[in-house]
Amino acid sequence: MDKPKKRVMIGILGSQLDAGRGAKRWEKWRPTVAMHQQTDVMIDRTEILHAASHQPIAALVREDIISCSPQTDVRLHEMQVKDPWDLGQVYAALFDFAQRYPFDTEHEEYWIHITTGTHVAQICLFLLTEARYLPGVLLQTSPPRRQDGSSPGHYGLIDLDLSRYDQVAVRRQSELQEQRSQLKAGIPTRNTAFNRMVDELSLIAVRSSAPVLLMGPTGAGKSFLAQRLYELKKQRHQLSGAFVEVNCATLHGDGAASALFGHVRGAYTGAAQDRAGLLRSAHRGLLFLDEIGELGLDEQAMLLKAIEEKRFYPVGSDTEVQSDFQLIAGTNRNLAQDVRAGRFREDLLARIKLWTYTLPGLSERREDLAPNLDYLLEQFSAQQGQRIHMNKEARDIYLRFAASPAALWSGNFRDLSASVTRMATLANQGRIDTPLVQHEIQRLQRDWQALGAEPATLQTDSVLNKLFSEQQLAEMDLFDQTQLETVISVCLKSASLSEAGRTLFAASRARKAQSNDADRVRKYLLKFGLQFEQIRAAVQ
């Protein structure tokens, strides 16, 4: 049986309501003190925030709390606020307190007292609690009908619906931007679809504990994003346990259920001792099941029960165990097709697909090559303790190739990471030059060819035939046909003219303060009498 959590009250000193001297102060209802006079609740620790000028009142309130509740640990915190009615100052001071405070949600519960302090302070406490910077519930107290010291009044744990102030909304927007940046590890990505997905995930991460399903090709970054989501949730005190990652493709036979759900000694031949299993290791944390489509049907049924009930049977046990974990699942398969083929349980898919996102492969995010290249170089430099950089010519050559149709990126970001690691390792005195980049490009092409990968073809010849007559094509240089085929290929892959421009000019746009890539593509197409919409309509 779990040990009861300690109860912690956090509140602001009421300079008027909590004030009082002499014996008569015990006949007056003082909210902070009165809460410790309640006969049906025990406060283990009380944190009182106060202005410097109210130190004498705070000290007396502390003494009075201890006198009526000796078991309570009372701590005073001085707030640096010049104007208690200035929303920005008060919010900043309380936000800083919340950031510094060592919350322990696994062993403590927090009651945020909003009866005392200015109305501005009460609003700020509400907003910080609603945003989970203060991971607790709101506490409101009220006086008894007769203030003669015979009753401590009333209290209640409540929820409020207060409108936001513009200044707070601006600060909250800044915090949301920090959340999005954290999910991207600070990488300034440019892909519209990816950024839109991250924006939504940054909200879901702090508002929902439901499972998340990340789909996409191998190497698209599902594991990386799951780790960042865990770190964001933990920062918001929503998780206190570990991040547990398992590739379900590595689980086979009898060992699959044992690895996930644990087993008891003697459950099968070779089970010499009890095993907790990965689900229990993820208690109060986050479990990332990559390639969930590789799980067997029996394990899928056990997982469904564990997700819904937070309880399950270890292999060979007649006694249920519990684990309160949050789940992120990853797959590169079409699970809906697997359901139709009888390889995946329909009820499990229904349970994990509430929040479903498809991560685009690197070939669909060519405009993000430059920022990811910089990130990987900085990461390698930090790990090796040596600054690695590319000269301008080498960088331009690499990015030009990386953004071209000749770069397949069949392994997605794993290919890019491996490529950067090789160049950084071979760099002479930490400097990646042109010959090294050219050698790496040849290596990448050989590797892709060895795997049987070929550049994707979109039948651009047939599109050209639809867009131009035989006579027009006969009068067009082969150079122009080849270049135009590449541009058309990118346009057919892009949802908009702007997206096509970002892909085609990924390298050069990184060096410009302002760029109008869509206009550059539009003007190029007009040289041949073409329009973006006309090209897309030609393949319908």
Side-chain angles (χ1 to χ4, degrees), residues 132-249:
R132 296 291 297 174
Y133 286 108
L134 294 172
V137 296
L138 298 178
L139 167 68
Q140 189 173 44
T141 54
S142 57
R145 291 185 178 181
R146 295 177 55 188
Q147 293 195 33
D148 56 4
S150 60
S151 170
H154 312 281
Y155 73 94
L157 302 176
I158 62 171
D159 193 8
L160 300 177
D161 183 18
L162 302 180
S163 59
R164 274 64 167 171
Y165 282 67
D166 289 343
Q167 291 179 343
V168 175
V170 170
R171 188 174 182 116
R172 289 288 303 279
Q173 186 61 36
S174 175
E175 293 159 13
L176 288 174
Q177 189 61 41
E178 290 179 7
Q179 291 174 200
R180 296 163 187 156
S181 178
Q182 183 175 345
L183 288 184
K184 298 189 292 184
I187 304 173
T189 57
R190 302 163 183 158
N191 183 270
T192 303
F194 180 77
N195 286 340
R196 188 183 303 117
M197 178 190 71
V198 169
D199 286 350
E200 191 166 310
L201 274 170
S202 67
L203 298 176
I204 292 168
V206 297
R207 296 181 183 178
S208 174
S209 60
V212 175
L213 177 61
L214 300 179
M215 304 179 69
T218 299
K222 298 185 288 292
S223 176
F224 178 84
L225 185 56
Q227 175 76 48
R228 306 302 297 188
L229 285 166
Y230 164 75
E231 292 171 359
L232 181 56
K233 283 176 172 288
K234 190 170 185 179
Q235 184 185 67
R236 288 302 192 90
H237 311 290
Q238 294 180 327
L239 300 172
S240 58
F243 175 77
V244 178
E245 178 178 359
V246 58
N247 188 329
C248 297

Side-chain angles (χ1 to χ4, degrees), residues 278-502:
L278 294 169
L279 265 66
R280 273 196 280 179
S281 298
H283 181 53
R284 291 176 177 161
L286 190 145
L287 176 67
F288 175 51
L289 293 180
D290 199 10
E291 305 305 344
I292 192 173
E294 302 294 334
L295 278 182
L297 292 174
D298 290 341
E299 288 74 34
Q300 292 177 30
M302 295 173 70
L303 177 62
L304 178 62
K305 174 181 172 63
I307 295 172
E308 293 183 334
E309 301 178 15
K310 306 299 182 184
R311 304 184 68 85
F312 53 91
Y313 290 96
V315 176
S317 176
D318 295 328
T319 304
E320 281 189 321
V321 297
Q322 63 179 7
S323 179
D324 186 7
F325 60 89
Q326 294 187 28
L327 175 69
I328 296 180
T331 184
N332 64 357
R333 300 172 58 156
N334 187 323
L335 295 183
Q337 288 183 1
D338 286 352
V339 167
R340 290 192 291 271
R343 292 189 298 267
F344 200 83
R345 293 181 63 99
E346 184 176 7
D347 48 4
L348 177 58
L349 178 58
R351 189 65 180 83
I352 66 175
K353 73 173 185 177
L354 173 63
W355 302 111
T356 302
Y357 298 93
T358 300
L359 276 66
L362 185 55
S363 61
E364 301 174 71
R365 294 177 54 192
R366 295 181 189 266
E367 64 270 46
D368 288 341
L369 281 161
N372 275 281
L373 174 64
D374 295 337
Y375 171 78
L376 291 169
L377 286 171
E378 290 177 5
Q379 188 179 53
F380 186 92
S381 298
Q383 291 172 350
Q384 300 299 317
Q386 178 187 9
R387 181 64 180 169
I388 306 295
H389 65 280
M390 303 177 76
N391 66 37
K392 182 179 182 303
E393 182 181 3
R395 177 184 170 84
D396 289 347
I397 292 173
Y398 187 84
L399 287 175
R400 189 158 53 246
F401 165 77
S404 72
L408 304 184
W409 301 120
S410 55
N412 295 294
F413 286 92
R414 290 178 183 171
D415 278 358
L416 180 62
S417 178
S419 177
V420 172
T421 298
R422 286 192 294 266
M423 290 189 295
T425 301
L426 297 174
N428 187 21
Q429 296 181 340
R431 188 169 182 265
I432 300 174
D433 56 17
T434 299
L436 182 54
V437 164
Q438 292 172 334
H439 177 70
E440 175 58 27
I441 290 174
Q442 293 172 0
R443 185 196 296 268
L444 285 168
Q445 291 175 319
R446 286 197 307 270
D447 289 347
W448 289 327
Q449 186 176 11
L451 291 172
E454 296 181 358
T457 59
L458 293 176
Q459 302 298 323
T460 49
D461 286 341
S462 64
V463 176
L464 288 179
N465 289 330
K466 292 180 181 179
L467 295 171
F468 299 97
S469 66
E470 292 185 9
Q471 180 63 31
Q472 287 174 316
L473 289 174
E475 296 175 354
M476 190 181 300
D477 289 336
L478 179 61
F479 176 85
D480 287 334
Q481 288 189 36
T482 303
Q483 189 177 57
L484 184 57
E485 285 177 4
T486 300
V487 174
I488 289 176
S489 173
V490 172
C491 288
L492 291 175
K493 294 179 182 178
S494 305
S496 66
L497 193 61
S498 296
E499 183 177 336
R502 288 193 297 271

